[in-house]
Amino acid sequence: MAVLRHSAAFPFLLLLALLICIPALVSGVWLNDDGGGVEEEGEQFSEELFLKPLPDRKVLAHFHFQSTVPPSAANGRHHHLFPKAIAQLVQKFQIKELELSFTQGRWNYESWGGSDPISSTNAKPPGVELWALFDLPVMEIDATWKDLTHALSGLFCASINFLESSTSYFAPSWAFRSNVSNLRYGALPREAVCTENLTPWLKLLPCRDKAGLASLLDRPSIYKGYYHSQRLQLTSTKSTGIVLKQTLTVVLKPDVQRNSAHSSLDKSIQPSWSVSSMFKKNVTGLCVPAKTSRIFFELETNMVVELEKLGYGDSWSNSIFDLSPNPVRVFKESNPLPGRSNSIIYEFINYSEHEPLDLGMKWKLPFIWSCSQAPFHVSRFLMGSGNERGSIAISLQSTESNKEFLAKSHGCNVQVLIFQVVPWYVKVYYHTLQVFIDGKPQSVSDVIEKIQVSPSEDKLFPGTLELMLRYPCSVQSVALTLDFDKGFLHIDEYPPDANQGFDIPSALVTFPNFHSSRSYVEDNFSINSPLLLKFQEKNVVRSYTEALLVPLTTPDFSMPYNVITFTCTVLALFFGSLLNVLRRRVGEEERLLNSKGNTTRIRLIPLLLSKFSSKLKGRTDGTPKSSSLLGSKFLLILVAVLAVLWHYISN
Amino acid sequence: MAAEAGDGKPQPGRRPRSRLIVRLGALLVAHSVLVSVVCCIAGSIAFLLLPVLAKNTYVSENALMPGSANPMFSSHDVVEANRFLKEILDRGSAKVTGTEIAKLIGQHVVDVGAELYYHKFHPHGNQFHPLHFFSSITNTMEMQYNSSCTLFGLNSVGIIRAPRGDGKEAIVLVTPYNSQNIGQSEALSLGLAFSIFSLLSRVTWLAKDIVWLAADSRYGEYTAVDSWLKDYHNPLFLSNSGKIGTGVCFEENILHLLDQLKVKGPGYNIFKRAGTMAAALVFKVIEKKEKEERDSLTIYAEASNGQMPNLDLINIVHYLAVHRQGLRVKIGSMHSLLKAAWLKFVGEMLQLFGKLTKHLNPKWKFDITSAEYVEGTATLASSIYYQALGVPTGSHGAFRDYQVDAITLELSPRFSLNNENNRSAFLLRGGRLIEGVIRSVNNLLEKFHQSFFLYFLTAPHKFVSVGVYMIPFALLLAPLPIVSAALFSGNDNLGVSTEKVNQEPGCIGSSDTELRSGSWKWLQAAKVVFMIHLWAIIVSLLPYVLSQFPLTTPITLLLVWAALSICILLIFYLIFGACSTHCGWELLKSVMIAAASTGLSLMSVINFSTAQIGAMLIVPMCLLVQPLRKQMQAGVCRKAVLVICNLTIAVVGFPPVALLIAKGVCEDFGKAGVGAFWELAQLLWSWNSATYLYLLWIHLPCWVLCLHILLYPCIGRSSKA
């Protein structure tokens, strides 16, 4: 403003020159930042890393890479930064939205948080989860989905193509996303996730893992972590073009430097860490095409509260811990409730090529805090044992954060959405649904506001349950049970060897009343970080339950030979004798016998003896008549027996 | 077929060439006496030969790979175990509140970074529920109503979530300890468990979750483990509403307790789970009186109704204990048999025989030394006995009810545990053994399926598989249908022949009209047999009625039971007595044998060992039994032998006597009193043992029918024919 006031005194031309110069200067700064000279309108790429210490001595690292491309009409088929494979995928299958996640390990909702943006959008069930929203007529969606699974399976070296069979995917109607008909959802809980999935994912980045933040991704250290979830999220609209978000969430445990002198103190102090010590690598250089490249560091709400109790406020260097380079900017979460402290985010920018940004945190004193929890802790388990039947139980236990919520408003109601897919071989009886609230059985109609069940069909569709519960906030525990029978698989549906059991994919539990959005106080700049913008989106709190293992009756395939021989023998004996009995005509036989005349009955042993003796005689007589063949056979057998005996005795 | 063959007999000349099977069947039936004698003797010999036929065990599942990784359990962990042990002993001696140790365990588990919760349970008395046989789900609701305020136990459970696992499977470690009065050995087993647990929380190779259950064995190990498993598999969501009357004070108790615990964090009374259980290890340290040259390990594996864990689990424990840790592995054996002279004699004979066969062909491996044989037989006998009893030999039995493979490992040190060095060496061995076993199970990608489930152990490294031990039983059982058929066809022949001769009236009861309906006479016999079986079922249900009355001493209960059963039997006799004498004893015997053989075959499916022992008692009894009057007509010598045989077998065949003898052989005759049988029956039904059903539904009616035949009033037509 001061410049303007001054400029009013200057001649008009100067003012004009200045006005022309300001955008040029600004764009010059941008050019410096970008280092590449990409137009603002064109394709953009940004990379960010979000770090957060967790209460159980671990550290959360969340990589966020975002590429955008304007609507395709502008650029045609050629891209500077945006991966061509993805653009083609979007175009060919008319994808509106897509999310693919590969996860190893489980998100610990109790100690890593359940209601912050990271946990509610980036905590995923183990294995592969894929959902896609198509911009297609309903008739074509299933075929397109099949093609899409095959394409993704090739792209990411994973067996996503198993999701093509209609038994493994499903179209949720309202519990997953509200009221969409062209969404398909599938999950493979058993899929193992490893570097072979990471490499193609990294290939989508302009710098791969050669420069920029992605160069931190040292395979041994990120796969050694406690949670590893690699995600690809696509949104494509006519107006904004395609936005590709690639995120990688890892929970790592920093190495503890054991100090024998202060062993007791060491145990209680959180381990100090730095980016280079955790990833065993440094940020090597800048990824030149990246518009922004920065690292965020968050102090959780509860942590800030605890710090303020100790009187340290929001300083990043106090007697409890030190952050090593000084942050460039500080964002504070703006508070809906005044008089309460909130989380703080520090920003660090990866400027220079020669001086790697090595963010580090050094703990000096023991410090304990707890994370922000989801309103209810969800767990799902199997009840019963044996190979016949059982039940699935989903239990919700209220947590601390719910108590806070309670304090805020009285007489409120909690809504809970449950979305559960069950494979067809687990035959769920949906009429057996029972709801217990605080240990008392409730009639289903009282608690359930909305329910949609689509029962499974053998070898065709999985069963799904979409359910909306509504109950008072004061409820401490809710339990739902569903009985099921275990079905029999067809012989070629079993895995080739004896198996561990069959999986039921995780259920998704959503709390529509609770949102995980954050809004930040703008210090002096407007927020242009994609990650923070994403945090500001209004997302509902959701949590996934554990995957379950159902042991089914498995025939012992290792011994089919025994079974075949045994049954064949039994069948032969049975049918042989049956046919024999049916074929016989007793009357005729008797007549035949009578006509033959009375021959004396000889018992079996005398009969055999007499035959034997007659043969012997025949041999000694040495008169081979018609029985010469028999005699020679007998001789042969005798010689063989003698030889065997001789062999044994001589040995 | 046999009946058909019987039909063929009266006209022998007409059918010289019937089918081979029929002829063979007829031959067997015709020589039934010879066949039964041969089969019985062969069966007994085959049974005695079982220790010789035992094979060496081998780890069948390749994925287990026991001992392929270096143990990580180090002296550092031993130090930790020792520290924990000291803390427990300090706390244990200071206070006897019962929750001190749980609190200590809780603190340590949380420090290690694992999840913790406390599981409270009520000890439940064992009650007889006639309809609960074979069903693992018992009515916990009812039990909770009965429970009083002060009676509860507190299990502490720690869970390590496998860092990169998916949480579908879990391995369970159980250490029982008495929270009221903790001894040094129990504290040591807790220390060992904790050091292993803390090691496992640090390792990177875990694929399955680890659950450590420190079971409060104040009310018995089994109760604690069983109630935890019950809550794990069949939780009762109604629990709060069921405790209106007595539960309030209980809740207060637990709240008070949890306040006491003061371990920071949420939800220590919320039950947490960790997926399907892959295997469970119960381990404890026992200090033995007699000292040995090496630390030893005793394996207990028998679960309820003779179920055994997969042999691979025992194999890996044995392999690691013997070849890696140098422990001496033992399994239970009958000590009384070790000194038996006859067994030694048999062993020496077998040794001689083995030498002979070796002389004939060195490839035949029958060589077994006399000592080995005796030891093998003693072990086999205890294996069969504990399987037959149907009562689990430890708290691992609770797991088997939920199809989880589990064993109990009892570690006992060589020297006194007070010596620090010895204790450390012992802890190192034990820790490495258990770590190795867990690591092997952790490697497993599938369920335990590769190795045997049906086997007897004759040594820790030797087993008899089902294919071999079936043979003696089949040989014993084979004569029963043959003899039954022979008796039936013999009776039929007689009927026809008497009809043909038609000169003399038969026995007192038989008349011409009845003879004409001869082929249906067996229905009369079947009716008698059915009545006796019905009586047996009523007798088996009587204890349920009796347990409702406030009778205390086992002797009175037993006497009342016996008296009631005899009364009912007499009533049955009075009502149906008229018809029981009409049929000939041969038919009765035939039907009885048929019923017994059916029962035995059924029982062999449920609990083989019971069927095996039962067959050894029932089969001779069934085959030999004849009316005493008929025996009197035979020659003096034969008469004496027959009578003596029959009487001894009749005495031995009486279920109580048989049980007492079995118990006496195994333990000591001194303890056996009159009330012992009631206690034994109570034991059997409280453990839902199928042996109880076998004894009362098959064995007892068979014995009563045998007595009935022994005292048969008329000799029947057989003497006159």
Side-chain angles (χ1 to χ4, degrees), chain A residues 226 384 500 503 580 593 648, chain B residues 14 19 169 233 360-361:
Chain A
Y226 285 72
Q500 188 186 23
D503 298 305
N580 205 349
L593 285 170
Y648 278 126
Chain B
R14 274 205 250 159
R19 283 174 302 131
E169 283 189 295
H233 286 104
L360 283 175
N361 185 350

Side-chain angles (χ1 to χ4, degrees), chain B residues 115-134:
Chain B
E115 288 177 27
L116 164 82
Y117 68 90
Y118 293 104
H119 169 244
K120 62 204 174 198
F121 66 94
H122 302 275
H124 48 82
N126 285 323
Q127 281 200 325
F128 179 55
H129 294 285
L131 299 177
H132 283 169
F133 275 103
F134 307 123

